[in-house]
Amino acid sequence: MKLNIDGLLVYFPYDYIYPEQYSYMLELKRTLDAKGHGVLEMPSGTGKTISLLSLIVAYQTTFPLEVTKLIYCSRTVPEIEKVVEELRKLMDYYAKETGAKSNFLALALSSRKNLCIHPEVSSLRFGKEVDGKCHSLTASYIRAQRHSNPAQPVCNFYEEFDSVGRQVPIPSGIYNLDDLKDFGRRKGWCPYFVARYSILHANIVVYSYHYLLDPKIADLVSKELAKKSVVVFDEAHNIDNVCIDSMSVNITRRTLDRSQANVETLQNTINRIKETDAAKLKEEYRRLVEGLKEANVARETDIYLSNPVLPDEILKEAIPGSIRTAEHFVGFMKRFLEYLKSRLRIHHVVQESAPQFLKDIFEKVCIDRKPLRFCAERLRSLLRTLEIADIADFSAITLISHFATLVSTYSKGFTIIIEPFEDRTPTIANPVLHFSCMDPSIAIKPVFGRFQSVIITSGTLSPLDIYPRILDFRPVTVASFTMTLARTCLCPLIVGRGNDQVAMTSKFETREDFAVIRNYGNLLLEMSAIVPDGIVAFFTSYIYMENIVASWYEQAILENIQRNKLIFIETQDAAETSMALEKYQEACENGRGAILLSVARGKVSEGIDFVHHFGRAVIMFGVPYVYTQSRILKARLEYLRDQFQIRENDFLTFDAMRHAAQCVGRAIRGKTDYGLLIFADKRYARADKRGKLPRWIQEHLTDGSLNLTIDETVQLSKHFLRQMAQPFRREDQLGLSLLTLEQLQSEDMLKKIAKIAQQA
Amino acid sequence: MASLSEEVLLVVKRVRQRKQDGTLYLMAERIAWGPEGKDRFPVSHLYADIRCQKISPDGKAKIQLQLVLHTGESSTFHFANESTALKDRDATKELLQQLLPRFKKKANKELEEKNRMLQEDPVLFQLYKDLVVSQVISAEEFWANRLSLSSVEHSLSNDSKQEVGISAAFLADIRPQTDGCNGLRYNLTSDIIESIFRTYPTVKQKYAENVPHNLTEKEFWTHFFQSHYFHRDRLNTGQQDIFSECAKQDEKGLKSMVTQGVKNPMVDLLALEDKTLDEGYGTAAAPSTSNVTKTLRENSNCAIIKRFNHHSAMVLAAGLRRAEPCSDQTSETSSTDGNSRDSDFFQPPLKKVKLQEAIEYDDLQSDCRRKPISLNLKKSDRYSHGPVPLQSQPYTSSQDILNSIAVIQQEMKSYKPRLTQVMSSSAASSAITSLSPGGVLMQGGSQQTVNQLVPSDLQSELKHLYTAAGELLRHFWTCFPVNTLFLEEKVVKMQSNLERFQLTKLRPFQEKIQRQYLSANLTAHLEEMLQAAYSKFQAWQSRRMMRKT
């Protein structure tokens, strides 16, 4: 249907529309008009993606000079592919309605592992290996060597692309990852580099967060993207953690040992080259003296990871003299490594700030701040000069150089924690140096600064005001949308007590309590008897789940559950969990029914949807607080309190509730879907917890479902499930939660729609 | 009631039923009990009626055996011969155990089925009367391929095919009970044993290897329950344990399952992340060498979790295993013939389907676009052409047909009527009249006249003749190509059946219509069909003779 969104003609590729989608588009339009940033929360399953795409594409076609590009960031590969497919649907609709083939170019970009078509390289299993192998076939000096030595293997796909691919732009259309590969195979071009090259002139780019947020990668990939772009972060409820991760470094003894080996290799290579080809080193030195930032002109294939600090922090100066010659630099690195080793040889926990660390290093080994800042640059230059083929082998020393650059660049927002052992095993020495970013706004700041509109959206962003605070930006729109429902297809219940009236909670003091564990078991057992098909249960942590499963096994609770359903359990091994997941779906599919025991914050809770019969009930055992004893977390909480005036408890609760909402939200993926959302902890009933749940869950949480016993839960669930089992037709929804174009245009409806969006 | 011809397999004296002494007879098809000195059997059950037998537990004062019937009734026999009671009972039990399964789902069910079919289908009943009652063909022949065709048989055979899945909790059902003197008793039923075997093929293998020669059945299961294999949460399986190998095999199986990876890309957690950074970046501490630091307790917890995943996967697989072989076979056979690729070609890859499913909002779309059920064709050529007789020269592929259609279309486009050379209108109209019903050329087709001329009773009789003849001819033609001895016999028999049919049914009918002065035309087609069959038979026979000589 064709919509009129505040004067903008929007093509929407469906015959019906949800009222909240209309409302969402209105808010989005307002944000784009104001050229500002926005925070929008709308439950998943209400067609957020298609609303976003429809509106922004319409905006792009109507105002091609205002918005030139859409950069759509999502978290997982399947998500990225889904977005592109939805876009394809929209574009097909455009073509059908307008009759003209649009000259839109949209493509997905992913790592080499997902795009490589080189027969040998693509068969490697790990992304790191693929990157390394690719580099060893495409680096400029490797290709230069081929001129003298034709036996030197290179990647034909890249050669082909390099010689012809750049002149001929990729024809307009929608390219998913597989389409890119097909295109590459047809032309004989490398899909990865085609995609990387094409994002510069593409109208829509879909890729993962890291390509924009991680400075090491963003500098390579997204450096030249136009300023007049709209950036969308979908599923952004975890964006602060992504930001923090992209700036943090951990150094263990193993890293140091491997770096040591790397340094030795570098030393030997330098000595060898000195004998044979001293001119090369001299040339590098000369260029460094001349103040060229990098000794060689870097080709796209040469850089493995770029500078870890943000572009505006990189010094535009010449590399200081003390590390200009190769030997000096290697010596410098050796000294730095020795220092780090000595720091790891401690018996008590040390926490210090970056300036303290710099002061100490200056006093102990006379390393200055300035050369440290150039470490990453200098190492890259050296690796290129030495023509190191397998750059992945040097990941350890690269990590150390990144640490050096980071620690000397940022004096605020970071902390250094050295732990001699893990908390759980105080007898076993396993020293780790955490260089931890505490301020997510550091990494995302350039994004907000550079692009005219940044939209942060997800199904669970409540409480909305916290994201602008921790990410430090001023949004022009902040809104939360509910899900209009013709029937209440979600049933949130808070179970606080067992049938024996013992309170159920995963509180630290009582989590080992026999009665609590038994009550949790009974809850699952009772639910397994009444819920059809799939049940997903989430625990607060992996260790907690292991313990509970073990004691359920001893108490024969699991045996009884097995009478009703098969049991699958998430493990720490991703491959094993994938298998369990697939079997779980198979068991739901063939009518046998199954239970998946999983962990909040785990991979399953973050990336897997349990649509329809794959998840008829979700049980959240306990409140998924993050492990509060962690020193990194404590440092971060302190920082949040001092810098943003966010109280520790507020942040912890916020964090726990967003994960709980994420977990239970996995089961509701649309208006035809239905599911029980069971919160099994009495603490959920408190106003401070409940108030932090997303609005679309809170709305259905009545006072009568706050502190239930297991029996009451079973009764309510039975009732709910029986109601939901009744046929649900379009006519039931029409006019309430589903609108035709005529209905949408009526005055009443527009008034109603205005209420859907709640401004924060 | 007791026919003397029955073979008596076992006679047990001094068996009480309802406090009355008597004798128990186990015969070929039934079990019967008669009171002492009398010649009639107040209790007599066909084996096929018996659902199961139950025996009193060892150590009870009364030694009894109970038979439960399908109807729900039961009769209890008390073995009262003091010295040999137990032996008698066991002998009876053993024999019954052998006999009962043979009669399960047998004869009378089939008979009922046949009865029902005849009652439900009047045409079939008529056919039955025409052919079987008048002894044109035997009843067996009549039912022979009738049953296999019928849907009833289908459901019946399906019934026996559809395996009952395994309860996930079958191990839990073996509730160990303390027997009072520091021991445990496990109750194993044949169902549970089967479940164990089906879920854990390795145990079955061990059983096959060991049981008759090395261990008794009882010892085997004792070992099983004592072994660490059963109690998987305890670690370090001892080497002397015969099941340690099973555990290793299971481990291997699990590993291979994991390395196989998943088919559905949406649940592949390994491919989820689009980040190729090394360990060392990020806040999450690297999972460095923590494997070593795991405590024993954690390890055992891990083992439990692994075991549950494995167990559930095995139970699921055991339920599906049945279905797999045949599907494998079809895929194998289909891949041997040339056109099989067709079916693969039309199925979009799994990933595409899953992606589409994931982005679909079915309530936003208007539902005029119903998803059609896709036809799974092995040979699409076959579907669009039907079988082509072999002798018809060069095989036309769909491409040829498409081409020729295109050619015809081309021709039609450039077609220009040659208006000067058309027929005169009078000639055309006369041709039309002669082709209309009643015209000169249309006298052969006398459908309407038959309706009016022939009385209704004759009509229905003719109909019956047609169905009967059709049935016989169907039997006859199904014998070709004659490639087995059985078919050879059958075709000869069918030929004689056809002749007999012509003699006993068709002739009298022909005479009857002649008596009524109707045209013999009525049966001409029937005769023709029979003649065609005869000539086919002749041809076949002469060829056979030639081959023999």
Side-chain angles (χ1 to χ4, degrees):
Chain A
M1 64 170 81
K2 291 178 206 164
L3 302 169
N4 172 8
I5 307 281
D6 194 16
L8 179 73
L9 173 68
V10 173
Y11 286 85
F12 189 71
Y14 291 100
D15 303 317
Y16 299 89
I17 188 170
Y18 298 141
E20 55 269 38
Q21 286 182 317
Y22 182 79
S23 178
Y24 188 89
M25 287 196 249
L26 276 178
E27 288 297 327
L28 190 58
K29 164 96 177 7
R30 234 168 262 165
T31 320
L32 296 188
D33 282 342
K35 295 197 176 21
H37 311 314
V39 178
L40 302 172
E41 179 188 53
M42 184 158 88
S44 44
T46 49
K48 205 171 17 185
T49 309
I50 195 67
S51 317
L52 264 168
L53 291 174
S54 301
L55 189 100
I56 297 177
V57 167
Y59 209 94
Q60 265 180 296
T61 38
T62 322
F63 308 110
L65 296 176
E66 301 287 315
V67 172
T68 52
K69 197 191 284 282
L70 164 63
I71 305 171
Y72 197 108
C73 301
S74 200
R75 272 189 330 169
T76 63
V77 178
E79 291 287 343
I80 289 169
E81 292 188 293
K82 269 197 258 177
V83 172
V84 179
E85 287 309 314
E86 295 214 36
L87 189 61
R88 193 195 305 283
K89 186 172 216 165
L90 177 67
M91 284 311 178
D92 287 348
Y93 184 71
Y94 259 91
K96 207 180 94 192
E97 288 296 309
T98 57
K101 202 177 174 298
S102 69
N103 48 1
F104 247 71
L105 174 63
L107 51 88
L109 175 63
S110 180
S111 56
R112 289 179 178 85
K113 180 174 171 271
N114 295 320
L115 281 174
C116 184
I117 53 172
H118 189 277
E120 271 170 58
V121 182
S122 60
S123 63
L124 295 171
R125 264 193 83 188
F126 297 104
K128 206 173 118 187
E129 293 171 355
V130 177
D131 287 354
K133 187 81 186 162
C134 178
H135 186 267
S136 71
L137 290 176
T138 57
S140 57
Y141 42 85
I142 301 276
R143 297 173 56 224
Q145 275 173 26
R146 189 177 161 86
H147 290 301
S148 53
N149 173 19
Q152 178 78 36
V154 293
C155 175
N156 287 331
F157 296 105
Y158 181 74
E159 296 299 316
E160 197 67 22
F161 165 71
D162 196 47
S163 50
V164 272
R166 274 178 230 277
Q167 284 84 42
V168 198
I170 181 168
S172 62
I174 314 293
Y175 294 89
N176 213 336
L177 298 178
D178 288 336
D179 304 320
L180 280 170
K181 278 171 150 177
D182 282 347
F183 178 77
R185 281 203 194 94
R186 232 175 23 245
K187 295 269 187 180
W189 298 349
C190 170
Y192 175 73
F193 284 103
V194 168
R196 260 188 54 185
Y197 177 69
S198 304
I199 61 169
L200 298 179
H201 58 266
N203 301 85
I204 298 176
V205 181
V206 186
Y207 57 29
S208 84
Y209 282 21
H210 309 287
Y211 290 99
L212 210 52
L213 290 181
D214 191 336
K216 300 184 279 294
I217 312 173
D219 187 47
L220 293 181
V221 178
S222 314
K223 202 171 171 183
E224 290 162 43
L225 294 184
K227 191 186 166 338
K228 288 189 169 179
S229 304
V230 175
V231 178
V232 173
F233 289 106
D234 197 359
E235 302 285 325
H237 47 270
N238 242 349
I239 194 167
D240 52 326
N241 289 333
V242 178
C243 292
I244 283 176
D245 273 354
S246 68
M247 307 284 284
S248 301
V249 171
N250 297 305
I251 296 173
T252 60
R253 193 165 271 166
R254 205 163 66 111
T255 327
L256 291 180
D257 291 344
R258 281 172 52 213
S259 308
Q260 192 73 42
N262 288 343
V263 169
E264 302 292 325
T265 326
L266 283 179
Q267 180 90 59
N268 293 339
T269 325
I270 289 169
N271 288 340
R272 206 178 58 236
I273 286 190
K274 243 175 153 179
E275 285 160 16
T276 57
D277 196 5
K280 206 187 272 174
L281 288 174
K282 280 204 190 108
E283 164 70 11
E284 188 200 21
Y285 180 74
R286 195 183 56 76
R287 297 187 70 121
L288 290 175
V289 171
E290 280 172 11
L292 293 174
K293 202 163 77 49
E294 285 176 5
N296 292 10
V297 186
R299 303 290 306 264
E300 59 184 352
T301 48
D302 290 357
I303 312 172
Y304 177 56
L305 287 176
S306 185
N307 207 316
V309 294
L310 301 165
D312 46 347
E313 303 281 355
I314 293 170
L315 292 181
K316 307 276 186 269
E317 293 171 37
I319 288 175
S322 57
I323 55 171
R324 242 178 250 164
T325 61
E327 293 105 321
H328 286 171
F329 178 62
V330 169
F332 175 84
M333 284 311 279
K334 270 187 182 164
R335 234 176 334 142
F336 186 55
L337 278 177
E338 281 310 318
Y339 173 73
L340 287 179
K341 269 189 197 159
S342 75
R343 291 303 305 266
L344 284 187
R345 265 190 301 256
I346 47 155
H347 299 288
H348 55 94
V349 180
V350 174
Q351 178 173 2
E352 61 188 19
S353 65
Q356 277 171 316
F357 181 85
L358 290 177
K359 185 161 170 266
D360 190 60
I361 197 171
F362 183 72
E363 281 168 3
K364 295 256 172 66
V365 287
C366 295
I367 288 183
D368 229 347
R369 177 158 175 251
K370 186 106 177 269
L372 271 182
R373 283 188 78 171
F374 282 97
C375 238
E377 290 283 337
R378 185 65 190 91
L379 181 69
R380 266 199 301 157
S381 167
L382 181 65
L383 286 177
R384 216 165 30 243
T385 312
L386 298 183
E387 303 187 349
I388 304 283
D390 199 354
I391 222 159
D393 277 351
F394 286 82
S395 60
I397 189 77
T398 314
L399 181 77
I400 299 289
S401 76
H402 284 172
F403 167 64
T405 305
L406 280 169
V407 76
S408 49
T409 305
Y410 296 100
S411 55
K412 247 185 70 186
F414 290 82
T415 188
I416 296 169
I417 296 170
I418 307 173
E419 287 179 313
F421 44 74
E422 280 177 42
D423 275 350
R424 286 191 295 129
T425 52
T427 48
I428 302 156
N430 180 27
V432 187
L433 184 149
H434 302 281
F435 177 69
S436 173
C437 174
M438 297 181 297
D439 189 349
S441 69
I442 293 176
I444 205 169
K445 197 165 196 165
V447 178
F448 283 124
R450 188 166 140 210
F451 298 107
Q452 68 178 25
S453 281
V454 178
I455 311 293
I456 289 184
T457 187
S458 171
T460 49
L461 285 176
S462 295
L464 287 167
D465 59 328
I466 205 159
Y467 284 91
R469 275 162 81 191
I470 57 177
L471 298 180
D472 194 23
F473 71 107
R474 305 276 155 272
V476 293
T477 39
V478 178
S480 170
F481 306 85
T482 55
M483 200 174 188
T484 52
L485 291 174
R487 56 166 190 181
T488 38
C489 67
L490 55 147
C491 178
L493 300 171
I494 294 174
V495 194
R497 294 165 291 153
N499 289 337
D500 49 6
Q501 302 302 323
V502 175
M504 276 207 270
T505 174
S506 68
K507 221 167 54 204
F508 186 74
E509 298 81 50
T510 55
R511 61 166 50 183
E512 300 296 329
D513 190 339
F514 194 72
V516 171
I517 292 175
R518 193 190 52 227
N519 276 333
Y520 274 159
N522 283 336
L523 175 65
L524 188 61
L525 176 59
E526 299 276 342
M527 295 314 286
S528 75
I530 60 162
V531 176
D533 300 320
I535 299 179
V536 191
F538 289 100
F539 293 86
T540 53
S541 75
Y542 195 79
I543 300 164
Y544 187 50
M545 177 173 82
E546 266 189 355
N547 286 337
I548 286 206
V549 166
S551 56
W552 282 352
Y553 174 70
E554 278 153 20
Q555 296 170 37
I557 289 173
L558 285 182
E559 284 177 1
N560 288 325
I561 292 173
Q562 274 187 321
R563 282 177 219 280
N564 301 325
K565 287 182 193 304
L566 292 174
I567 298 175
F568 294 95
I569 306 170
E570 179 176 357
T571 67
Q572 273 165 327
D573 178 48
E576 224 172 287
T577 310
S578 304
M579 190 215 57
L581 251 176
E582 191 176 52
K583 297 280 176 201
Y584 167 80
Q585 293 201 340
E586 209 173 288
C588 292
E589 202 75 76
N590 76 5
R592 180 140 202 157
I595 292 178
L596 183 72
L597 303 183
S598 180
V599 177
R601 298 164 192 279
K603 281 203 163 138
V604 172
S605 73
E606 290 289 333
I608 306 294
D609 289 345
F610 297 99
V611 289
H612 295 291
H613 58 288
F614 293 137
R616 284 300 179 211
V618 185
I619 306 176
M620 183 74 234
F621 288 116
V623 184
Y625 278 115
V626 66
Y627 175 61
T628 47
Q629 299 306 303
S630 141
R631 291 189 183 82
I632 301 173
L633 179 76
K634 278 183 178 161
R636 188 177 167 198
L637 289 175
E638 221 166 272
Y639 185 83
L640 284 173
R641 191 189 57 208
D642 296 346
Q643 297 296 317
F644 301 116
Q645 287 75 49
I646 297 170
R647 279 184 301 163
E648 280 115 329
N649 261 332
D650 279 351
F651 182 79
L652 286 175
T653 314
F654 150 76
D655 185 61
M657 294 317 278
R658 72 172 159 179
H659 279 105
Q662 250 322 287
C663 291
V664 297
R666 294 277 128 196
I668 306 286
R669 268 357 206 190
K671 297 189 174 183
T672 49
D673 201 354
Y674 63 89
L676 286 159
L677 317 176
I678 296 175
F679 298 93
D681 194 310
K682 69 163 191 201
R683 288 177 288 172
Y684 283 108
R686 286 189 209 148
D688 66 318
K689 308 277 184 308
R690 196 153 42 103
K692 288 197 170 67
L693 283 172
R695 198 167 142 226
W696 56 274
I697 295 179
Q698 262 188 68
E699 269 183 344
H700 300 283
L701 207 54
T702 57
D703 282 343
S705 54
L706 283 190
N707 190 14
L708 306 169
T709 65
I710 292 173
D711 267 352
E712 288 162 347
T713 312
V714 169
Q715 285 314 314
L716 286 171
S717 306
K718 269 186 182 164
H719 180 72
F720 171 76
L721 290 168
R722 217 172 289 140
Q723 266 187 335
M724 286 301 117
Q726 303 308 314
F728 185 58
R729 287 154 309 164
R730 161 159 300 131
E731 295 78 67
D732 302 333
Q733 275 208 68
L734 218 54
L736 287 169
S737 57
L738 189 69
L739 304 177
T740 60
L741 191 56
E742 295 84 70
Q743 284 170 326
L744 184 64
Q745 279 157 349
S746 76
E747 279 297 310
D748 294 1
M749 192 46 78
L750 290 177
K751 253 181 230 158
K752 257 190 225 164
I753 285 172
K755 279 185 211 147
I756 291 173
Q758 191 188 47
Q759 310 287 336
Chain B
M1 207 175 137
S3 56
L4 289 169
S5 60
E6 266 182 290
E7 186 193 359
V8 178
L9 301 172
L10 184 73
V11 179
V12 187
K13 296 225 161 128
R14 299 210 49 193
V15 177
R16 286 171 155 225
Q17 216 266 336
R18 300 222 168 131
K19 306 231 163 111
Q20 210 175 358
D21 269 332
T23 314
L24 189 68
Y25 297 89
L26 271 81
M27 281 165 282
E29 296 208 324
R30 64 193 182 115
I31 183 167
W33 177 85
E36 205 77 45
K38 295 228 175 78
D39 201 20
R40 58 186 180 78
F41 298 118
V43 178
S44 161
H45 301 304
L46 286 174
Y47 291 136
D49 291 339
I50 298 172
R51 195 170 65 200
C52 65
Q53 57 167 337
K54 291 178 180 170
I55 54 170
S56 57
D58 293 344
K60 273 251 172 111
K62 274 188 183 172
I63 290 162
Q64 287 179 320
L65 182 131
Q66 190 185 36
L67 297 177
V68 183
L69 305 187
H70 285 298
T71 52
E73 294 167 39
S74 64
S75 31
T76 313
F77 303 105
H78 175 202
F79 294 81
N81 195 341
E82 284 116 40
S83 52
T84 60
L86 197 60
K87 224 172 68 196
D88 284 348
R89 204 268 314 266
D90 285 346
T92 319
K93 186 192 84 177
E94 293 281 313
L95 190 59
L96 274 176
Q97 229 166 26
Q98 291 166 20
L99 287 170
L100 286 183
R102 271 192 246 159
F103 288 88
K104 264 195 181 151
K105 307 178 207 154
K106 234 210 118 187
N108 56 352
K109 220 174 204 172
E110 238 173 72
L111 213 62
E112 265 173 41
E113 239 6 276
K114 285 178 189 166
N115 249 330
R116 200 182 54 77
M117 274 172 70
L118 287 180
Q119 274 165 15
E120 277 175 6
D121 191 349
V123 181
L124 192 71
F125 186 52
Q126 185 60 43
L127 202 61
Y128 187 80
K129 273 204 290 196
D130 284 346
L131 296 179
V132 182
V133 179
S134 61
Q135 295 193 331
V136 175
I137 58 173
S138 72
E140 276 115 65
E141 271 176 287
F142 181 79
W143 289 114
N145 56 8
R146 180 68 51 189
L147 271 181
S148 68
L149 280 175
S150 73
S151 61
V152 184
E153 170 68 10
H154 209 69
S155 73
L156 256 181
S157 65
N158 251 0
D159 216 309
S160 57
K161 246 188 231 161
Q162 187 167 20
E163 287 281 331
V164 180
I166 298 169
S167 158
F170 67 82
L171 285 178
D173 287 333
I174 322 167
R175 296 233 141 257
Q177 292 165 340
T178 44
D179 59 358
C181 48
N182 230 352
L184 283 176
R185 269 178 38 161
Y186 291 93
N187 292 322
L188 267 182
T189 67
S190 58
D191 276 350
I192 292 177
I193 292 177
E194 210 208 315
S195 298
I196 293 174
F197 283 166
R198 274 173 63 190
T199 319
Y200 297 108
T202 47
V203 177
K204 184 173 187 175
Q205 201 188 328
K206 282 279 156 208
Y207 181 85
E209 277 169 22
N210 286 318
V211 159
H213 350 290
N214 299 342
L215 303 162
T216 66
E217 191 174 348
K218 198 172 169 189
E219 278 170 348
F220 178 84
W221 290 115
T222 316
H223 274 296
F224 179 78
F225 288 122
Q226 282 171 351
S227 90
H228 295 287
Y229 185 65
F230 182 62
H231 304 280
R232 208 81 59 83
D233 50 322
R234 294 180 207 151
L235 283 179
N236 48 38
T237 37
Q239 288 302 316
Q240 78 289 349
D241 195 331
I242 58 166
F243 292 103
S244 59
E245 200 181 313
C246 293
K248 267 180 218 148
Q249 290 237 342
D250 280 356
E251 197 98 315
K252 233 195 261 164
L254 190 66
K255 276 235 179 74
S256 76
M257 255 193 269
V258 168
T259 45
Q260 253 173 29
V262 288
K263 291 190 210 96
N264 181 355
M266 307 300 274
V267 298
D268 192 355
L269 294 172
L270 287 172
L272 216 57
E273 286 266 333
D274 189 24
K275 188 179 172 186
T276 53
L277 281 190
D278 306 300
E279 52 188 280
Y281 294 98
T283 44
S288 52
T289 49
S290 55
N291 280 338
V292 197
T293 64
K294 268 200 170 160
T295 61
L296 194 69
R297 165 133 184 102
E298 276 165 11
N299 259 333
S300 88
N301 288 354
C302 240
I304 292 175
I305 285 175
K306 268 213 173 114
R307 182 184 167 192
F308 268 105
N309 277 341
H310 182 245
H311 175 80
S312 297
M314 293 304 273
V315 168
L316 197 61
L320 298 175
R321 211 169 283 150
R322 231 17 86 122
E324 259 162 35
C326 55
S327 69
D328 271 359
Q329 222 165 32
T330 51
S331 70
E332 251 174 44
T333 50
S334 69
S335 61
T336 50
D337 57 10
N339 282 334
S340 69
R341 297 268 103 200
D342 283 11
S343 57
D344 299 345
F345 188 76
F346 289 117
Q347 277 164 1
L350 183 69
K351 186 174 170 187
K352 274 257 162 69
V353 176
K354 292 280 174 194
L355 270 180
Q356 282 304 326
E357 254 171 41
I359 65 162
E360 198 108 308
Y361 287 94
D362 40 2
D363 48 346
L364 285 180
Q365 250 138 14
S366 52
D367 39 13
C368 51
R369 229 169 44 82
R370 263 276 156 84
K371 256 195 207 155
I373 298 163
S374 65
L375 202 55
N376 197 0
L377 293 180
K378 271 195 202 152
K379 290 188 178 184
S380 55
D381 275 355
R382 257 295 187 69
Y383 177 70
S384 39
H385 304 157
V388 185
L390 277 177
Q391 59 264 40
S392 86
Q393 37 10 15
Y395 182 64
T396 45
S397 70
S398 57
Q399 196 51 49
D400 294 339
I401 288 174
L402 287 177
N403 285 344
S404 53
I405 288 174
V407 168
I408 290 171
Q409 273 172 341
Q410 282 281 312
E411 278 177 10
M412 288 308 290
K413 263 185 202 154
S414 54
Y415 170 74
K416 278 203 186 86
R418 271 172 288 172
L419 292 170
T420 46
Q421 289 175 20
V422 294
M423 226 187 241
S424 71
S425 60
S426 60
S429 67
S430 79
I432 288 172
T433 36
S434 54
L435 279 170
S436 313
V440 189
L441 293 171
M442 291 301 284
Q443 283 193 336
S446 47
Q447 283 95 333
Q448 292 119 317
T449 48
V450 169
N451 247 343
Q452 290 144 15
L453 288 179
V454 184
S456 56
D457 59 324
L458 267 184
Q459 276 186 40
S460 69
E461 202 173 333
L462 186 64
K463 245 185 234 162
H464 291 153
L465 275 177
Y466 259 105
T467 44
E471 175 67 16
L472 283 176
L473 285 166
R474 192 172 63 77
H475 276 283
F476 175 81
W477 287 107
T478 49
C479 300
F480 291 95
V482 187
N483 42 21
T484 65
L485 206 62
F486 170 72
L487 282 178
E488 230 169 78
E489 278 169 21
K490 189 174 177 186
V491 78
V492 176
K493 208 160 44 184
M494 277 304 142
Q495 159 75 7
S496 64
N497 282 344
L498 283 177
E499 275 164 4
R500 200 164 343 129
F501 172 77
Q502 198 174 18
L503 214 68
T504 57
K505 291 271 166 175
L506 200 54
R507 280 288 143 67
F509 183 72
Q510 275 168 336
E511 280 157 22
K512 197 170 161 190
I513 39 176
Q514 257 161 24
R515 256 183 276 126
Q516 296 192 11
Y517 308 106
L518 290 167
S519 77
N521 234 350
L522 280 180
T523 54
H525 180 236
L526 272 174
E527 296 259 319
E528 242 172 66
M529 291 200 294
L530 288 175
Q531 278 312 321
Y534 293 157
S535 56
K536 174 79 185 173
F537 182 74
Q538 234 95 53
W540 171 74
Q541 210 166 29
S542 60
R543 215 170 337 129
R544 193 170 63 139
M545 286 310 180
M546 284 218 311
R547 225 182 300 144
K548 269 186 184 165
T549 57

